[in-house]
Amino acid sequence: MTDVRKRHTVAIVGAGAAGTLTAVQLCETAHRRRTPLDLVLIDPAPEAGRGTAYATRDPRHRLNVPAGNMSAYPDDPGHFVRWLCRHGEPAVTGADFATRYRFGAYLADTLGQAVVRAHGTVAVRRLRTLAESCTGTPDGRVELHLADGGPLAADNAVLATGPAGASAGWAPPALRTSPRFVASPWAPEALDPVRDSPEDVLLVGTGLTAVDLALTLDRSGRTVHALSRSGLLPQPHALGPAGAMPAPDGLDDTSLGRLRRAVYRHVSRSVRTHGDWRPGLDSLRPHTARLWRSLTPEEREEFLAREGALWNTHRHRMAPATAEHVSRARTARRLHVHTGTVVRATETRTGSLAVELSNGQVLHAGWVVDCTGPGRRPDTPLWRALFAAGLAVPGPLGMGVATHDGQLADARGRVAGPLFTLGAPRRGELWETTAIPEIRVQAAELAQRLLPPPACRRGSRRPADGQGLPLSTHAEAAAAYRSGLDRVLKVRSGAEDAFARAVALDPGFALGHAALALLGHECAAAVDVPRALADAQRSARERADDRERSFVDVITRRVTADDGDEALVRHLRAHRGDALALAAAVPTIAFSGVSDLQDDDARRLLDLTSPAYDGHWFHTSLLAFLRQEQGRLHEAGELAHRALAAEPASGHAVHALAHVHYESGAHEAGRDWLDGWVSGRGRGAVHRAHFSWHIALHELALDDPDAVRRRWFAQLAPGRVVSGVRALVDSGSLLWRARVSDSWRGDFPVAGVLEAVERDVLERPQTAFTALHAAVALTAAGDLAALRRLRDHAAGADGVQREVVAPLCEAFAALVEERFQEAARGLDALLPVLRRVGGSAAQREVVEETLLYALVSDGRCEAARRLLDARLDRTHAPRDRRLRAGLAP
């Protein structure tokens, strides 16, 4: 039986960034756990996601954090960048600074998508009103009293009210009551009279708020004055990445004096190492909350008095474009920065204000704008009611409110009912808590706490996959997963749809998400790979067994780290019957396989897993492919036929047999047999173009260029027939092989290959195997600039790309530039290690054929003859005989 899930109600007061991020996490967690949830967002603002920070439409107001650090999800850091790429900014990178209004649109859209995905599990209401007070109920719930008169009962309430408003306590009474004083500059229409006026303006405060308003109010003929006690403007972000540093030693010492010295030494080391203080300061970010908590109240006060302004101006920085605008305004003397405080303000006969500063200076300004930043503690009607009732008390140093890990605490330090908060109200407790990277983590933690754990299935066995391994899901999702797995093992189309159906039926099914991530990463399926990985990891933490968690970890490592191959082999040693993992490990046709898997390694891996399959056609198919890679062609053919007798649709067995025909020189028989299979049982093959590529290889070897051309246009032409990575691996490589062997006549349609592939796949491929074929296609197109960008990407990617693909790009670039001797030398040196990129010998043979072309072009006919003789010793091919006969003595 399955536990009956009680419907839960959570109210979120505030629909700005903190409230939106919390709502997103609650929607997705409830959907993943299949927990019925009523979610109520209470905020009078017209649109969720904006709040005060992201409602500004001024395009000069940019985020002060790079886009790569502004994802709504702590476990999917690239989410915001990918959203920007899909919404009109395809060239954006993680180092760019988006506009604040754009980020507000992203938050609203992310929430909308989460609500849509959770439909049926989560019911969302949006109340455009204010919550004015709150009381507990006898059953331990909470009741919010709304400005429109209606009560709202909830199991939990999250007070996501954002930073407190400025109190203007610094302003003399005459200034606070003046119509020329703007106390809340972000309020709608508050700045309209200031914009329309030609008079000078005084901004009290020199932080990020003042910088934004200085940009907005900057105009010819006006002087903008900015005043603060420190007179310090925020520092700019670096124009480019300056490197990374680990946190310094000595951070566990709780003495402020010793901690101060350790940090200053660390920042000095950063300047010496990187020529920049920023990497040193940024390395402290993960430790800031812990360090703040370790200080005594007296030490915190001392830090704020001595280093508070210095910390804020260096920690909360301006975007480079913003800093440039500020610099131009200061150089043109339209912006003046002053050090001091306001002593008094008087109205002049012209209606403007004469403001006397603590340094004795008098400034004449038409307007004074409060840019001093947030107050020390929240001051809305709801918060005032909570303070009055003792349900909330000020936090450390009077900043924010006191909490136990986000749950409101009373004066005695006890939790004050089901009331939670995040972001700015936790400032006294955490110090750094107002930026998106901190708020999104708090939102995810709240979602985990507020919703009950995943439902447990009792009294029934878990469903299993096709090999009998248990699955942590229900029967319907398991059936969809088995269908997808069966299609992967047979190399049939529809696996992606089946896995997507499995996670739609059960959003908390970790293996379904991981399988989608694998298909997206290896096969260029239309999958948001980082998103699928994040979903897999979240689900595995909540509901998965050891085997499933291990598989999720394997796929994560294959996508994001250098040790994915080692992790995959370790997984198979522990879980020998995991067919999807075995398919990913052994390079045949579905996946690129383990890069450094030598023949003996592959044999041991198949021997190790053999008992779990007991002669199953899938395992036999993989064994057939291994045997042909070992040169044991007769045995490989027998194994392939045995597998096909058990499962005629086994694409792995067909693929093994195709290689047997090619490697043995049975080109006519191989062409005819495979052509018949492709037009028959192979119609549903997911990699049908690859089988057509094999047929075309036979036709190329038979020296039949007209047949190759017909085959290419009928079954391999990008756009009409082939798209994505297959256009590189099959269509592009065949074109190049035909060209370097003088077997292509007429126009050379390589441009169509490049157009069929996304630029990221061409220049920033995720696997070495894809990178090899991207290099081939770019060489065929003569695109030297893109080839060098691919080289630069490979130089910073995994070990195989660094050590094999990057030098391969150098050799191909030499070929494009007709430096044939250098190209031949580079290609020849790479042949012994080329198998590390994965794939089959027939696929990697494109490099050998390019070497042959380079040798002939360099006039080294004797070396070309030796290479052709070695090829003809391996297998008979009329085309190779023609090429050899055409070499000059």
Side-chain angles (χ1 to χ4, degrees), residues 20 84 91 156 168-169 306 414 430 499-500 548 605 744 784 797 811 879:
T20 297
L84 288 171
N156 303 104
R306 289 185 54 179
R414 301 172 303 188
L430 302 175
F499 290 139
E548 293 166 320
L605 193 58
W744 187 269
L784 200 58
R879 182 202 55 174

Side-chain angles (χ1 to χ4, degrees), residues 14 24-25 70 130 151 223 362 367 420 439 444 467 480 483 516 574 725 781 889:
V24 168
Q25 291 289 343
M70 290 295 287
L130 285 171
T223 299
V362 176
W367 304 89
F420 299 81
I439 295 173
Q467 276 59 53
S483 173
L516 282 171
V725 171

Side-chain angles (χ1 to χ4, degrees), residues 250-280:
L251 293 185
D252 293 328
D253 195 328
T254 57
S255 163
L256 177 60
R258 284 191 286 268
L259 182 60
R260 179 186 289 122
R261 288 191 291 273
V263 169
Y264 275 111
R265 284 196 301 269
H266 181 60
V267 172
S268 298
R269 190 180 308 115
S270 176
V271 173
R272 292 194 303 272
T273 305
H274 299 283
D276 192 348
W277 50 267
R278 295 171 183 83

Side-chain angles (χ1 to χ4, degrees), residues 214-450:
L215 299 187
T216 295
L217 300 176
D218 183 27
R219 55 182 289 180
S220 178
R222 165 186 280 167
T223 299
V224 175
H225 300 276
L227 170 73
S228 71
R229 293 179 184 273
S230 67
L232 297 175
L233 288 172
Q235 291 290 312
H237 279 279
L239 291 174
M245 290 185 70
D249 296 330
L251 293 185
D252 293 328
D253 195 328
T254 57
S255 163
L256 177 60
R258 284 191 286 268
L259 182 60
R260 179 186 289 122
R261 288 191 291 273
V263 169
Y264 275 111
R265 284 196 301 269
H266 181 60
V267 172
S268 298
R269 190 180 308 115
S270 176
V271 173
R272 292 194 303 272
T273 305
H274 299 283
D276 192 348
W277 50 267
R278 295 171 183 83
L281 193 67
D282 292 344
S283 70
L284 302 176
R285 184 166 191 166
H287 308 278
T288 304
R290 176 175 61 83
L291 295 175
W292 178 257
R293 283 172 162 166
S294 73
L295 300 177
T296 65
E298 294 76 18
E299 287 174 323
R300 294 178 187 177
E301 286 276 21
E302 181 185 344
F303 169 77
L304 292 178
R306 289 185 54 179
E307 280 95 14
L310 193 64
W311 172 270
N312 285 329
T313 55
H314 286 74
R315 173 67 186 82
H316 303 286
R317 305 194 278 270
M318 294 184 281
T322 302
E324 175 63 23
H325 194 131
V326 168
S327 177
R328 288 198 304 268
R330 297 188 75 178
T331 301
R333 303 188 64 79
R334 297 193 306 274
L335 174 62
H336 291 265
V337 180
H338 307 271
T339 302
T341 59
V342 174
V343 175
R344 65 179 56 85
T346 57
E347 187 173 332
T348 67
R349 280 180 289 180
T350 61
S352 63
L353 295 169
V355 183
E356 183 180 342
L357 307 184
S358 57
N359 60 12
Q361 186 178 4
V362 176
L363 298 177
H364 292 272
W367 304 89
V368 176
V369 183
D370 188 354
C371 301
T372 54
R376 293 181 75 85
R377 71 180 194 183
D379 194 33
T380 65
L382 174 59
W383 282 110
R384 287 196 294 270
L386 290 171
F387 285 128
L391 296 176
V393 296
L397 305 184
M399 295 191 301
V401 297
T403 76
H404 282 302
D405 294 327
Q407 188 170 7
L408 265 60
D410 62 17
R412 297 184 180 181
R414 301 172 303 188
V415 295
L419 296 170
F420 299 81
T421 191
L422 75 164
R426 298 185 67 186
R427 184 165 172 245
E429 175 188 317
L430 302 175
W431 176 236
E432 288 289 343
T433 180
T434 58
I436 294 298
E438 283 77 33
I439 295 173
R440 67 191 181 195
V441 171
Q442 295 173 31
E445 291 172 349
L446 273 181
Q448 295 292 317
R449 292 179 65 184
L450 298 184

